[in-house]
Amino acid sequence: MAHYVGLDVSLDETSICALDENGNTVWQGKTSSKPEAIAKALSVKAPEAIKIGFETGPLSTWHWHSFKEIGLPVVCLDARHAKAALSMP
């Protein structure tokens, strides 16, 4: 079953939320913000991830390139665009 993952990245720790294709939570947790630690958590908790999203921020360039190098299907969202899209009726 397909998984969709959202990352809330901070300097030390990243919160992860994985949903299935029906919108049910598969897993929520936290891990180190190092790309390797995030990738490891996803390989165990959301191995069927077809889209992984996170907002732009100070670490986004590092994460984007690291995730692409690992082969993860990432999407980086501009925080202002994400907020605007989520506040639409």
Side-chain angles (χ1 to χ4, degrees):
M1 179 176 289
H3 296 143
Y4 299 89
V5 178
L7 304 177
D8 186 9
V9 181
S10 67
L11 192 55
D12 295 323
E13 201 171 53
T14 294
S15 296
I16 302 170
C17 181
L19 304 175
D20 66 17
E21 53 198 22
N22 297 319
N24 299 312
T25 301
V26 174
W27 181 71
Q28 283 185 321
K30 294 183 180 190
T31 189
S32 162
S33 285
K34 294 179 181 175
E36 301 81 18
I38 297 169
K40 183 177 180 182
L42 293 177
S43 72
V44 173
K45 301 295 186 177
E48 305 292 327
I50 62 170
K51 199 65 71 180
I52 301 166
F54 62 99
E55 287 183 338
T56 56
L59 302 176
S60 60
T61 301
W62 176 42
H63 282 104
W64 171 266
H65 290 289
S66 296
F67 292 152
K68 281 297 192 179
E69 196 173 289
I70 294 168
L72 296 175
V74 294
V75 176
C76 189
L77 308 165
D78 181 88
R80 292 171 295 179
H81 291 155
K83 181 180 179 188
L86 292 172
S87 64
M88 292 174 66

